[in-house]
Each structure stands twice: as C-alpha cells, then as structure tokens.
Amino acid sequence: MSRIKQAFSNGKAFIPFITAGDPSIEITEKLVLRMAEAGADLIELGIPFSDPVAEGEVIERADVRALCRGVTVDQIFSMVKRVRKQSDVPIAFMTYINPVFAYGAERFLKNCRDAGIDALIVPDLPFEEREELLPHCVENGVVLISMIAPTSNERVHMIARQAEGFIYCVSSMGVTGVRENIGKDAEHMIKLVKEVNDIPCAVGFGISTPKQAREIAKFADGIIVGSAIVKIIEQYGPDCVPHVTEYVRTMKKAIKT
Amino acid sequence: MPKGRFGIYGGQYIPETLMNAVIELEEAYTHFKNDPKFQAELESLLKNYAGRPSLLYFAENMTKDLNGAKIYLKREDLNHTGSHKINNVLGQVLLAKYMGKTRVIAETGAGQHGVATATAAALMGMECEIFMGKEDTDRQALNVYRMKLLGAKVHVVTSGTQTLKDAVNETLKEWSRRIKDTHYVLGSVMGPHPFPTIVRDFQSIISREVKRQIMDAEGRLPDALVACVGGGSNAIGLFYDFINEPNVRLIGCEAAGLGIHTQKNAATITTGKVGIFHGMKSYFCQDEYGQIAPVYSISAGLDYPGVGPEHAYLHDAGRAEYVAVTDEEAVEAFEYLSRVEGIIPAIESAHAVAYAKKMAPQMLKDQIIVVGLSGRGDKDVAAIARYKGVEIYE
C-alpha cells in the first residue's frame, strides 16, 4: 500500500500543516516526528515562499519567520531524509510554483523521491497548468495533489477524473486562516467528486476546533489544519512541540469517533 | 492546452478559487470586444471623457539641444487623470459593468492606476477599493487623498516589501474572497491570462494614434519608440501596432535604481530570470531559490519585480530591446524636460526621456524617435525635491 493510501486507512485522516523552518529546521523535524506519534495521518510541510498568495496572515508570518532564518529547500530535503530514518509517516510538500521552477522541476521531484516525499501540493498550479510538474511527478512517483474550491462548480468533474492520491477541498472562499463558520460548500463539492472518482477528499481552510473537525469529518475523508497549528508555533516558539502534539492528539480523537 | 501564451510566457498560474473568475472574464471580453454597443460606448468615453486622441508633440527645443534625431512626445500625460492608465481602466470598468459587476478592486504603485480606477468607478457608479503598499502611500500621499476624494476606499498594505508587488498579492487575495460581484481591474499587462491581452488591447490605442499622427506630421514611420517598463502597459501600448514594422526599433526602459550591479534595482529583464509568479511565466527578480526579490526604484510605478509576459517574449524574440536607466539619470531627465520643454514628466516616463536623450545625439537628423510620455509629474514633485535634499510640505 502506498503511503498516501495508508494515510486514509486509519479512519478519518487528520492532516496537520506546518511551515518548515518555523521556528527552526530542528524544531520542524521534532514536530513532524511527534505529530506522527500523536496520530497525524499525513503531514503537510510548507516550503516557505516570499509571496504566499493563497495564505492568510498567520501562515504568511510563518513563511517570513522561516525565510528570515535563512531556511532553504536543500535544508528541508535533508531534514526530511533524517525524518525518514525514524518514521514512515506520509509527507506532502506544500509550496508555490516559483520555488519549484527555480530549483528545476526535474531536480526538485527527483530529490522529493530520494527524500521520501509522497505528494506535492502547489496552490498556484491549477488544472490547466499542471503539465508544468506532472510529468516529473509521475516519473518520480510523487503524487501531484489536485485542489477544488467553492467556485469550481462544473470544473469539479474534470479535475476529479484526473486526480490521484487525494483531493484537497478548499472549504471556503479567500485565503487560509481560522474561520468561525465553514459553509456547506465542501459537502456539495465532495458529492460531486465521488460521482466520478472514488478518491479520498480532505477539507482544508478555516478549521481550528475539534467540534468543526467532527462536523466536517461526517462527510470528508480527511481534515487539514494549518493556521491553528501555526498559531500555536508562533505563540510558543521553540517550546511549541508539546503544545502542538497535544493539539494533534485532540483533533485526531475528535474525528476518530 | 494552456491558454494565453506569448511563446513560453504567460499562462494562468493562479489558485483554483480564481479559475472560474478568469474564465468568465475571458468569455465576457471575447464577447464584448466585438459588440458594437460596447465599442461605441468605450470610444465615446475615450474621446469625451479621457480627452483622446492625446497629442503627438514635436519637442523642438529638445531636438535642437540634442542635435540629433527628431524627438516626438506621445502626450499620455494630458489624458484625464494624468496618465495612460485611464485607457485600460475605462475599458475594464466598462467591461465589468457589462458583466453585471458592482464593485471593482485594484492594486496601485505610484497611485496613477488607483486614481484612474477610482475615477472610472465614480463615473460608472461602482464601489471601489484600492490596495497600495505602505511605502507608496507614504511617498505618494497626494494620490491617496485623490482616491479618497473620488469615493474609493484605500487599503494600506503592510505585508512584505510594502510596495506594488505586495499590493498585487493583497488584491488577488481580496478577489479570491469576493468574486461574484467584484472585478479586479489589473493595472498592467501582467497577471494571469486574459489580463495581459485585455490590458494590451485597451492600451494599443496609443500606437494606433501614433501611427496616424506621425504619418500626418512626417509622412513616414519613426525609427525608434522609447517607453518606460514596469509591468509594461504603456510600453506595449506604444509598441503594439509597430511590432510588425521591422524597421521601427522598440526600446523599453527598465528602472535600474541605484544601478544594475547593486541589489537596489527593478530592472527585471536586465537582471532577473525566468520564473512563475502573479499568475504568469515571465522574467522576475528573484534569488537562486525562487524567492521574489525586494526590488527598488525611485519610481513607485516601476518598482515591481516582474514584467508582462509579452515583453518577455518580445525580448527573447529579439524584436524589442530592454535597457536599464538609473534613478540619477531619470531625475536628471525629469528636470531637463521641465526646463527645456516646460513639461514635467512622471518620474516613470522620465526613464524613457533619459534614454531618448542618450540616443538622439547618436542618430541622424532626419531620423525620428517617439517617446512615450506616459504620465505627468505633479505627483512626483515633492519626492524629487526630497531626492535633491529640499524639504517641501505637501
């Protein structure tokens, strides 16, 4: 079984997001290992970018902190290799197209394979432009994750038919960040997906509380939480590991039952 | 098949949330650009509201002084709101209205595009919100107040480098929050398809007028066209009808800031490399890891780390030349044109004036240069005074 399949084989998947290098690459390494132990089914690791146009303020600040510390793609690859010696938790990279393009898509994806990265999420690479990376992803056995949004409407079928691994359902309009209310859009989107492809659907953007997660887990196969975790990291800095671990445990428990 | 390509450049590299918005825009534009009612209304606005055609002015003093090629200035500074930006804005806001949108948002650097958008929104009864970097609201305070006078809400952007790039980021984010009633009036020939094509089409009126005007005045085409390039909308507007005239040199002037061998420049084609950002594949100032560079220019309107994809294509194809002009050269040209012709140019346009000044003496007296005078310099007077060490209070 591929590691991505494995991620969705343990009940509803809990998928935490953290920005690599925030507050430091060493803490990121610890966070990945501890979150995996605490029940994270797949870890979304952000490669920081100077201009993250799909992110709200919380994750944007994390990108700035990581870049100010001088974290690079090469350091992140090395860190993932160290993690892989101790854990086989599924890991997806989340980044923007320019850092991948500048690194060289072929070299980037080859390094992903060598480091043990399972999937790649690139929010500014829509369906129409996926050829930019897809051939290199396929060649290296890295799954390029498709995203759908509340505005996708008739595009959902087209995207879902070609999707692999899982589908990232953007719960609501706008950018990442904690929200009080998450609309009914995601449930409808997932229904459309399942009409054409029996593929796991994970919902992200805005989720922060166990109650929200439980509600969404009723119709989704996985829950993605970013800003709420990055906020904890921002608050506790180098001491964040136990706090994040506890949060992950609580969230996984909330969606398991 | 990816759409909206200029060679390898262009494309639609944007989040899925925005995809249907750009598809809807492309469909609407394709429909209305051939709609006689839309075209008649736009033509009337350009003539009766913006004051087109703009003059093609023979700069006789400058020509005599430089003792070389004849210099003509395409006076976009005389348009309503004082720059070429109004050409695109009237087109886009009218299109938004035809699409049933009730709200427009826009980024602005120097404030010229923001002022033009706020103006068109006031005229056509649309709600308007403008995003502007904090560094730019500080150096262009008058334009901020102008936008407010026109009824727009101005958001001060404090993320990143607090300039044009960050204003674009925030406007894209705002668009992804609210698409249904909102059109993003992108101000340059950049961003995801169809913006580079729409903006170019609306700005290409500049080149069509120049062609007619220079034929009337000289009975022949010019030898060179010179325009400043940030995103590149006034340059593509001036070049467009001449791209298939191989004997006309097309020259784009990028902002070299403190010099192209320093970090403090915004000369994207000269110093950048190919990348993908703000929805397009093009040239960008960036580091080896693809992080977008904090660029610099005295001119807020040229202070942008990318360039429109059609310029990237014209550069690679060898059809247009791109040169770099420093702050110092631009300020010198700003003062020169004011003194010699009695025309105060925008500091952006002064970059083109500076290069024309270098070129003209090397050319023959029967040769012709047309300089794109993209905007007027009133907005820059205080900043130039500060640059020269004179404190004046606006």
Side-chain angles (χ1 to χ4, degrees):
Chain A
M1 187 174 13
S2 78
R3 279 196 293 254
I4 293 291
K5 273 222 171 80
Q6 173 198 319
F8 291 91
S9 65
N10 180 28
K12 304 289 184 172
F14 182 67
I15 305 173
F17 166 93
I18 55 172
T19 300
D22 171 40
S24 70
I25 203 83
E26 293 77 21
I27 301 285
T28 301
E29 185 176 343
K30 278 187 198 153
L31 280 170
V32 173
L33 292 168
R34 296 294 94 79
M35 290 195 301
E37 288 166 12
D41 296 289
L42 187 154
I43 289 167
E44 209 190 309
L45 206 50
I47 297 175
F49 180 49
S50 54
D51 297 81
V53 291
E55 312 295 351
E57 288 174 16
V58 172
I59 295 176
E60 185 165 4
R61 283 201 300 270
D63 282 29
V64 170
R65 285 195 297 271
L67 290 173
C68 284
R69 289 191 66 102
V71 69
T72 66
V73 177
D74 288 315
Q75 290 168 8
I76 297 168
F77 277 127
S78 304
M79 185 265 295
V80 173
K81 277 184 186 166
R82 292 197 297 274
V83 165
R84 272 284 168 259
K85 285 182 184 155
Q86 302 179 56
S87 170
D88 65 351
V89 63
I91 302 176
F93 270 155
M94 202 297 297
T95 192
Y96 290 80
I97 183 67
N98 203 46
V100 179
F101 184 80
Y103 198 85
E106 194 176 347
R107 182 163 77 107
F108 184 91
L109 270 310
K110 191 186 162 297
N111 287 1
C112 282
R113 184 188 63 191
D114 294 348
I117 289 293
D118 304 291
L120 183 59
I121 304 167
V122 186
D124 57 349
L125 193 75
F127 181 83
E128 281 77 356
E129 302 289 356
R130 70 199 191 291
E131 284 304 307
E132 197 74 53
L133 298 183
L134 193 60
H136 304 294
C137 288
V138 169
E139 198 185 320
N140 290 289
V142 176
V143 180
L144 185 61
I145 300 301
S146 300
M147 300 179 92
I148 55 174
T151 44
S152 297
N153 303 328
E154 77 291 348
R155 293 169 54 80
V156 172
H157 281 176
M158 169 182 83
I159 295 167
R161 275 196 194 97
Q162 309 270 328
E164 297 205 30
F166 68 93
I167 287 185
Y168 190 131
C169 304
V170 174
S171 72
S172 31
M173 299 297 287
V175 293
T176 57
V178 172
R179 286 173 176 74
E180 290 289 316
N181 299 308
I182 295 169
K184 283 273 162 206
D185 290 333
E187 186 170 5
H188 179 63
M189 273 187 268
I190 292 173
K191 223 176 94 193
L192 291 177
V193 169
K194 305 279 180 173
E195 284 172 8
V196 297
N197 192 347
D198 185 23
I199 185 172
C201 292
V203 176
F205 280 42
I207 305 166
S208 64
T209 67
K211 186 167 174 273
Q212 283 176 322
R214 204 176 298 126
E215 284 301 308
I216 292 169
K218 284 177 187 162
F219 55 83
D221 303 299
I223 303 291
I224 303 169
V225 174
S227 298
I229 293 174
V230 173
K231 254 188 183 165
I232 299 173
I233 297 171
E234 183 171 52
Q235 187 182 347
Y236 293 100
D239 303 322
C240 66
V241 180
H243 300 279
V244 171
T245 310
E246 187 48 40
Y247 177 82
V248 170
R249 192 169 288 127
T250 309
M251 292 297 276
K252 177 65 187 177
K253 210 176 128 194
I255 60 175
K256 214 171 183 178
T257 48
Chain B
M1 183 63 193
K3 284 185 292 190
R5 293 281 171 175
F6 304 92
I8 64 163
Y9 301 107
Q12 292 180 306
Y13 300 88
I14 47 169
E16 172 62 24
T17 309
L18 291 174
M19 278 306 293
N20 263 331
V22 295
I23 291 168
E24 179 198 16
L25 177 61
E26 183 185 8
E27 285 169 359
Y29 179 64
T30 308
H31 175 75
F32 288 116
K33 78 173 175 183
N34 297 315
D35 178 52
K37 184 167 169 281
F38 177 85
Q39 282 305 338
E41 197 168 341
L42 179 57
E43 208 170 291
S44 165
L45 284 169
L46 289 168
K47 180 166 178 271
N48 302 312
Y49 188 69
R52 299 208 73 90
S54 68
L55 297 177
L56 183 68
Y57 166 75
F58 175 49
E60 196 173 357
N61 295 346
M62 193 176 164
T63 300
K64 269 188 193 145
D65 181 58
L66 297 172
N67 199 27
K70 279 186 173 176
I71 295 175
Y72 282 85
L73 305 176
K74 180 58 175 167
R75 300 288 310 274
E76 293 298 301
D77 60 318
L78 296 178
N79 297 338
H80 181 43
T81 73
S83 82
H84 71 291
K85 294 291 186 187
I86 196 76
N87 305 332
N88 167 44
V89 159
L90 287 173
Q92 279 200 50
V93 177
L94 187 65
L95 180 62
K97 202 173 143 187
Y98 272 67
M99 289 171 75
K101 307 281 178 183
T102 54
R103 176 176 176 259
V104 289
I105 56 174
E107 85 293 344
T108 195
Q112 295 303 89
H113 177 58
V115 167
T117 305
T119 298
L123 176 71
M124 297 187 220
M126 304 272 242
E127 201 184 322
C128 178
E129 295 185 32
I130 304 294
F131 294 78
M132 188 170 183
K134 179 159 190 317
E135 190 170 313
D136 296 333
T137 55
D138 289 347
R139 57 182 167 179
Q140 297 290 352
L142 269 176
N143 269 343
V144 175
Y145 195 71
R146 242 172 229 139
M147 288 184 267
K148 288 179 182 167
L149 270 178
L150 292 160
K153 190 171 169 191
V154 180
H155 298 272
V156 180
V157 176
T158 55
S159 58
T161 55
Q162 309 190 351
T163 58
L164 180 54
K165 167 195 77 140
D166 311 283
V168 174
N169 290 350
E170 290 309 315
T171 320
L172 280 170
K173 287 182 188 185
E174 175 59 23
W175 203 24
S176 76
R177 277 181 208 111
R178 193 169 155 188
I179 289 172
K180 213 168 179 171
D181 66 346
T182 301
H183 173 66
Y184 178 4
V185 184
L186 225 158
S188 193
V189 284
M190 45 158 290
H193 174 70
F195 284 108
T197 299
I198 291 182
V199 179
R200 177 253 277 152
D201 288 354
F202 287 143
Q203 290 294 1
S204 64
I205 190 166
I206 301 173
S207 63
R208 288 195 299 276
E209 287 178 4
V210 167
K211 214 172 202 178
R212 203 173 55 236
Q213 290 166 323
I214 199 74
M215 288 306 289
D216 287 349
E218 296 281 348
R220 69 179 194 88
L221 296 181
D223 297 277
L225 304 172
V226 184
C228 64
V229 177
S233 70
N234 102 83
I236 215 80
L238 180 64
F239 295 171
Y240 192 61
D241 235 35
F242 295 93
I243 290 175
N244 293 324
E245 305 283 358
N247 295 326
V248 181
R249 283 175 70 191
L250 311 177
I251 301 167
C253 303
E254 298 190 311
L258 301 184
I260 54 169
H261 301 296
T262 71
Q263 297 288 311
K264 294 261 185 189
N265 74 74
T268 309
I269 291 179
T270 311
T271 67
K273 56 183 186 192
V274 178
I276 304 171
F277 181 51
H278 280 165
M280 58 180 171
K281 185 180 279 185
S282 188
Y283 284 89
F284 294 95
C285 297
Q286 53 185 311
D287 73 8
E288 60 173 310
Y289 287 104
Q291 307 294 345
I292 303 303
V295 290
Y296 164 81
S297 164
I298 189 173
S299 143
L302 304 182
D303 198 356
Y304 179 71
V307 67
E310 195 163 6
H311 285 294
Y313 172 70
L314 291 174
H315 168 263
D316 284 14
R319 178 62 192 96
E321 306 154 55
Y322 295 85
V323 298
V325 174
T326 63
D327 280 3
E328 201 182 335
E329 293 168 318
V331 169
E332 199 272 330
F334 178 91
E335 294 178 323
Y336 176 85
L337 197 69
S338 303
R339 213 170 46 240
V340 173
E341 290 290 350
I343 296 170
I344 303 176
I347 188 65
E348 289 77 17
S349 323
H351 286 71
V353 175
Y355 197 72
K357 261 188 79 196
K358 273 193 208 173
M359 283 177 70
Q362 318 294 324
M363 293 168 68
L364 301 171
K365 284 194 174 166
D366 61 353
Q367 290 188 300
I368 300 165
I369 302 174
V370 175
V371 179
L373 207 71
S374 55
R376 68 177 180 222
D378 310 45
K379 68 182 177 54
D380 299 308
V381 170
I384 299 301
R386 278 197 295 276
Y387 180 86
K388 303 294 285 184
V390 181
E391 264 310 321
I392 55 171
Y393 298 94
E394 289 174 346

